[in-house]
């Protein structure tokens, strides 16, 4: 996946990026994940957006988070929804909730179902249960199992909080 080609783009650059991307995919299919960085980096440096996203994942798994963040940022700035999602979770897990919320919101607005579910969790944790419920409902209706699970927990918790507790041996008036 590349940005829309302009009239000045070098076609050989596009071809080199595609070849590197294909090599990375072959290595991945062969289970040779330790060798992915080089072809992904080549494709990413040549402008391949999916390679930027996947290079970020590879670097993150190697503990090179600063580099991973930079590649996800480049891909997200070019429209990668998956990189928006990755950045959102990365920032949230590293205590940067405002940045995480920004990127999860962008991924959610682009239709990323897991981002909807995760953003719902973040909203719920920040006291915005109604907004969380709405997001989970939207994502669950589109097939997100994690959102459906979160929604189910929300409804159980909400029901428990809104029903008065039953006291053993106590009868409600008119209840017999």
């Amino acid at each position: 996946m590349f940005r829309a080609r302009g009239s000045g783009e070098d076609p050989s650059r596009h071809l080199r990026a595609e070849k590197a991307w294909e090599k990375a995919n072959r290595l991945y299919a062969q289970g040779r994940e330790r060798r992915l960085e080089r072809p992904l980096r080549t494709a990413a440096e040549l402008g391949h957006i999916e390679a930027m996203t996947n290079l970020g994942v590879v670097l993150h798994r190697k503990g090179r988070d600063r580099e991973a963040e930079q590649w996800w940022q480049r891909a997200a700035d070019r429209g990668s929804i998956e990189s928006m999602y990755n950045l959102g979770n990365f920032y949230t897990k590293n205590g940067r909730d405002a940045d995480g919320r920004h990127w999860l919101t962008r991924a959610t607005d682009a239709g990323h179902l897991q981002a909807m579910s995760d953003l719902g969790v973040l909203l719920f944790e920040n006291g915005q249960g109604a907004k969380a419920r709405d997001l989970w409902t939207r994502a669950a209706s589109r097939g997100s199992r994690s959102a459906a699970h979160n929604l189910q927990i929300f409804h159980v918790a909400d029901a428990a909080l809104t029903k008065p507790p039953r006291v053993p041996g106590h009868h409600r008036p008119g209840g017999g």
Side-chain angles (χ1 to χ4, degrees):
M1 173 180 11
F2 292 86
R3 281 196 117 192
R5 281 201 240 177
S7 59
E9 186 176 317
D10 177 8
S12 68
R13 180 180 175 92
H14 178 81
L15 182 61
R16 289 191 322 268
E18 273 303 313
K19 286 185 182 225
W21 174 246
E22 289 169 9
K23 180 177 182 178
N25 282 310
R26 277 193 311 276
L27 290 169
Y28 182 79
Q30 296 166 357
R32 298 165 68 188
E33 293 181 31
R34 290 175 30 170
R35 300 193 57 206
L36 289 176
E37 183 178 345
R38 175 178 269 165
L40 285 175
R41 184 174 299 278
T42 297
E45 288 172 350
L46 291 167
H48 196 286
I49 297 169
E50 287 176 279
M52 292 176 194
T53 300
N54 290 352
L55 178 58
V57 171
V58 167
L59 294 168
H60 175 67
R61 288 182 180 162
K62 291 181 176 185
R64 293 162 53 193
D65 288 342
R66 187 148 169 70
E67 272 186 279
E69 178 186 0
Q70 291 169 346
W71 282 108
W72 287 330
Q73 184 71 54
R74 286 175 71 177
D77 290 344
R78 289 167 178 78
S80 169
I81 299 165
E82 198 62 33
S83 280
M84 292 174 196
Y85 171 71
N86 290 344
L87 280 170
N89 277 316
F90 175 76
Y91 288 140
T92 301
K93 288 176 181 162
N94 286 288
R96 294 172 58 184
D97 286 353
D99 292 329
R101 184 174 176 165
H102 167 79
W103 286 108
L104 286 174
T105 299
R106 292 219 23 215
T108 292
D109 291 347
H112 195 287
L113 295 181
Q114 191 59 47
M116 287 180 198
S117 185
D118 293 355
L119 180 59
V121 170
L122 192 59
L123 292 170
F124 183 79
E125 289 172 348
N126 288 299
Q128 299 177 45
K131 286 183 180 181
R133 182 195 61 229
D134 292 345
L135 266 179
W136 291 331
T137 300
R138 201 168 99 208
S141 72
R142 293 176 57 201
S144 170
R145 289 183 182 178
S146 64
H149 178 75
N150 291 339
L151 191 58
Q152 184 179 26
I153 292 169
F154 178 83
H155 285 306
V156 168
D158 190 47
L161 292 173
T162 57
K163 289 183 183 175
R166 290 200 51 141
V167 177
H170 178 71
H171 299 283
R172 293 186 182 171

